[in-house]
Amino acid sequence: QVQLVESGGGLVQAGGSLKVSCAASGVIASIYTMGWYRQAPGKQRELVADITSGGSTSYADSVKGRFTISRDNAKKTVYLQMNGLKPEDTAVYYCSQSYPWGRSFWGQGTQVTVSS
């Protein structure tokens, strides 16, 4: 079992920035996608951004131009730089490690709160 631990969440004013990190205890195979999801109270979990082993990224339309996902394979860590934060970005942010055959691992999440 792979364990993922998120960190860096907190309270920030609207327009501010925050960088969250997710460190994995290990990997199963060399090809895997790491991603960030978020879930706000009363809402479904949604994909925020992900990044493949080759560095290809994708973002939710709501965060394009504001968030940047990156990964450090040596550290088995994925990052999410969040700029221009908005109150609607408030959610618990979860990281994931996914494999081509469908297996995914999830972290416990880190709270990000953006005040108006």
Side-chain angles (χ1 to χ4, degrees), residues 34-96:
M34 296 199 75
W36 284 97
Y37 288 73
R38 66 186 182 188
Q39 186 168 28
K43 297 184 178 181
Q44 294 184 324
R45 184 174 297 188
E46 65 173 345
L47 173 67
V48 176
D50 62 23
I51 182 167
T52 68
S53 297
S56 179
T57 61
S58 64
Y59 298 90
D61 288 341
S62 61
V63 306
K64 287 181 179 178
R66 298 190 297 121
F67 291 9
T68 302
I69 188 171
S70 61
R71 63 190 286 170
D72 184 329
N73 291 332
K75 296 181 179 179
K76 297 187 287 292
T77 300
V78 63
Y79 307 92
L80 184 67
Q81 177 66 51
M82 302 179 285
N83 299 324
L85 285 162
K86 305 174 181 179
E88 50 263 45
D89 293 319
T90 295
V92 175
Y93 284 69
Y94 300 87
C95 67
S96 68

